[in-house]
């Protein structure tokens, strides 16, 4: 896979229901501007502190907590095997409440002056604050569990992204619906924020490749709980398939009320909502299509097996996609620290991250 020279990021190839994740970086020489006093923030001879801001309360607490728990499990595993270059990885996890103001406060209170780098972030609206704050403060961020294009475009030298973009994921959805299922009347229900907008834009652009457009586009307030008006508009459009770009309570609510949208409507979900749907809708989600950007946890792959073992050992929870993504993010953080060597400074770490090319994560070809 070729990566444009101005876009250095870790990428996943999305496909309906399954995916293979590979890491790749472009050859791009970055000039990092780290203040001398901040080169070793959060670093001692025996420990390196990394910080996470994610929703740990409210409607999105399960998703945010699971991403963090996956990374924490991997760090615990690494620490029990001697750490990285003689240092244990300490994780400081803070609640950003899944909103813009909470994100700013979390960055300033928990990250800016206390930790070596930021990681295990979750959510598009928070990411819209973290990315520019990373630029301004020359603050390293590794792994945001969200897929808007603004994370990687334009180029942000201090941000290293693992997750595939929502644009590419939704393109795969439309291709599946159009070419394999021969569905033409495709609609969108999306929350009225940055996340919903990226899902909507992806579907609109993908349909345009076929000379088509959505038969209905229904928006709803972020973290809305009353879906009556949305369902009314979706039913009136008589769509054959509806892509759901929502989160929180709204997502499983729409899935559970699928029959009210019309006979045999095919619902399609985006990867961040997988665990929300499974937990919130249960058997009522049967038959739904969901794209995923990490491998299915039932696959016989070395890192899948390692994740299952480590996650159960340290977090005592059942595997899920959100925590698996956090686990993979943790692997990338540890790999960057390993490649940096014992002279752990932010400048050296960033250069080490830039050196990662075709890193085999044990996830297959």
């Amino acid at each position: 896979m070729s990566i444009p020279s101005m876009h250095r990021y870790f990428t996943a190839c999305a496909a309906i229901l399954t995916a293979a994740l590979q890491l790749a970086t472009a050859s791009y020489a970055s000039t990092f501007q780290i203040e001398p006093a901040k080169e070793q923030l959060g670093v001692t001879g025996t420990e390196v502190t990394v910080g996470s801001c994610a929703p740990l309360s409210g409607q999105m607490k399960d998703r945010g907590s699971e991403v963090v728990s996956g990374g924490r499990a991997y760090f615990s595993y690494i620490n029990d095997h001697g750490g990285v270059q003689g240092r244990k990885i300490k994780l400081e996890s803070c609640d950003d409440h899944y909103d813009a103001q909470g994100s700013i406060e979390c960055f300033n209170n928990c990250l800016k002056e206390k930790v070596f780098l930021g990681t295990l972030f979750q959510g598009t609206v928070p990411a819209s604050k973290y990315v520019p704050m990373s630029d301004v403060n020359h603050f390293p961020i590794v792994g945001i569990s969200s897929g808007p294009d603004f994370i990687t475009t334009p180029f942000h030298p201090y941000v290293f992204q693992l997750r595939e973009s929502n644009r590419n994921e939704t393109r795969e959805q439309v291709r599946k619906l159009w070419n394999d299922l021969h569905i033409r009347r495709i609609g969108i229900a999306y929350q009225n924020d940055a996340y919903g907008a990226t899902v909507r834009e992806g579907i609109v652009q993908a349909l345009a490749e076929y000379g088509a457009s959505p038969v209905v586009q229904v928006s709803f307030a972020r973290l809305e709980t009353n879906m009556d008006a949305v369902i009314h508009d979706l039913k009136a459009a008589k769509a054959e398939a509806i892509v759901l770009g929502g989160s929180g309570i709204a997502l499983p609510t729409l899935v559970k009320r699928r029959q009210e949208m019309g006979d045999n409507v095919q619902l399609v979900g985006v990867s961040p909502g997988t665990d929300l749907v499974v937990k919130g809708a249960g058997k009522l989600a049967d038959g739904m299509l969901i794209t995923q950007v990490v491998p299915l946890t039932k696959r016989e792959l070395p890192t899948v097996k390692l994740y299952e073992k480590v996650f159960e050992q340290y977090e005592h929870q059942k595997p899920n996609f959100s925590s698996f993504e956090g686990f993979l993010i943790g692997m990338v953080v540890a790999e960057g620290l390993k490649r940096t060597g014992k002279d752990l400074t932010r400048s050296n770490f960033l250069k080490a991250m830039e050196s990662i090319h075709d890193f085999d994560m044990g996830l297959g070809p």
Side-chain angles (χ1 to χ4, degrees):
M1 177 179 295
S2 79
I3 306 296
S5 61
M6 288 298 286
H7 298 175
R8 184 268 289 107
Y9 61 100
F10 300 107
T11 184
C13 305
I16 292 291
L17 299 179
T18 188
L21 185 150
Q22 80 180 101
L23 289 174
T25 60
S27 297
Y28 186 88
S30 299
T31 301
F32 301 111
Q33 303 173 12
I34 307 295
E35 296 176 36
K38 295 183 178 181
E39 282 281 18
Q40 290 191 296
L41 276 177
V43 177
T44 70
T46 59
E47 191 173 74
V48 53
T49 302
V50 301
S52 167
C53 282
L56 305 178
S57 61
Q59 289 188 32
M60 293 297 291
K61 66 179 180 181
D62 287 346
R63 169 106 167 94
S65 298
E66 286 162 359
V67 171
V68 173
S69 67
R72 183 172 59 227
Y74 188 74
F75 295 151
S76 297
Y77 167 75
I78 288 294
N79 290 343
D80 281 352
H81 287 77
V84 181
Q85 302 290 358
R87 292 184 175 93
K88 301 292 181 70
I89 303 174
K90 179 182 177 182
L91 175 63
E92 293 286 349
S93 182
C94 304
D95 188 0
D96 64 14
H97 307 289
Y98 193 62
D99 64 37
Q101 185 58 40
S103 302
I104 295 171
E105 293 174 357
C106 194
F107 183 90
N108 288 331
N109 295 337
C110 302
L111 301 183
K112 187 176 178 183
E113 302 295 341
K114 299 179 182 179
V115 304
F116 184 69
L117 61 89
T119 187
L120 301 168
F121 295 170
Q122 190 272 310
T124 300
V125 171
S128 70
K129 300 301 179 183
Y130 293 132
V131 171
M133 286 190 289
S134 167
D135 289 341
V136 171
N137 293 278
H138 308 145
F139 180 79
I141 290 178
V142 181
I144 300 175
S145 182
S146 184
D149 285 344
F150 66 71
I151 294 177
T152 57
T153 307
F155 176 72
H156 302 286
Y158 301 92
V159 178
F160 295 80
Q161 178 66 332
L162 187 85
R163 168 175 278 271
E164 180 59 283
S165 72
N166 292 335
R167 186 184 306 277
N168 288 343
E169 190 176 346
T170 51
R171 182 183 295 116
E172 292 298 326
Q173 292 177 339
V174 170
R175 287 175 178 172
K176 179 72 174 182
L177 294 171
W178 194 278
N179 297 326
D180 296 352
L181 302 182
H182 309 291
I183 289 176
R184 300 292 182 264
R185 296 184 60 79
I186 300 172
I188 316 168
Y190 63 99
Q191 63 190 35
N192 190 17
D193 69 358
Y195 170 61
T198 62
V199 173
R200 174 194 168 276
E201 291 167 6
I203 295 296
V204 169
Q205 292 177 9
L207 281 172
E209 296 177 10
Y210 297 95
S213 58
V215 296
V216 62
Q217 301 182 49
V218 182
S219 66
F220 51 90
R222 188 165 175 270
L223 301 180
E224 178 62 76
T225 58
N226 187 342
M227 293 288 105
D228 290 346
V230 174
I231 291 170
H232 176 272
D233 291 346
L234 293 173
K235 181 179 180 179
K238 297 181 178 180
E240 298 174 274
I242 299 169
V243 179
L244 304 179
S247 60
I249 294 173
L251 185 56
T253 298
L254 287 170
V255 175
K256 288 189 288 187
R257 297 179 65 180
R258 171 173 52 181
Q259 296 300 323
E260 298 177 47
M261 303 175 198
D263 295 334
N264 302 315
V265 172
Q266 177 65 67
L267 293 187
V268 183
V270 187
S271 57
T274 307
D275 297 324
L276 292 171
V277 167
V278 170
K279 183 176 182 178
K283 288 292 185 180
L284 292 176
D286 286 355
M288 184 178 181
L289 292 179
I290 302 180
T291 41
Q292 188 50 252
V293 299
V294 299
L296 297 178
T297 53
K298 294 184 181 297
R299 294 186 65 189
E300 294 290 330
L301 296 169
T303 296
V304 172
K305 293 305 176 185
L306 177 65
Y307 156 70
E308 291 176 335
K309 176 183 177 181
V310 168
F311 194 59
E312 180 179 356
Q313 177 181 353
Y314 291 101
E315 296 294 323
H316 312 293
Q317 299 180 43
K318 294 182 179 180
N320 58 68
F321 289 111
S322 296
S323 62
F324 189 25
E325 183 177 357
F327 187 85
L328 298 177
I329 290 171
M331 289 183 69
V332 176
V333 171
E335 179 67 15
L337 294 172
K338 175 184 175 182
R339 293 184 182 220
T340 304
K342 290 189 177 295
D343 186 12
L344 185 56
T345 66
R346 282 183 174 175
S347 294
N348 288 344
F349 173 77
L350 291 164
K351 291 174 183 176
M353 289 295 296
E354 290 276 12
S355 76
I356 300 177
H357 299 276
D358 300 320
F359 173 40
D360 182 359
M361 296 185 72
L363 296 176

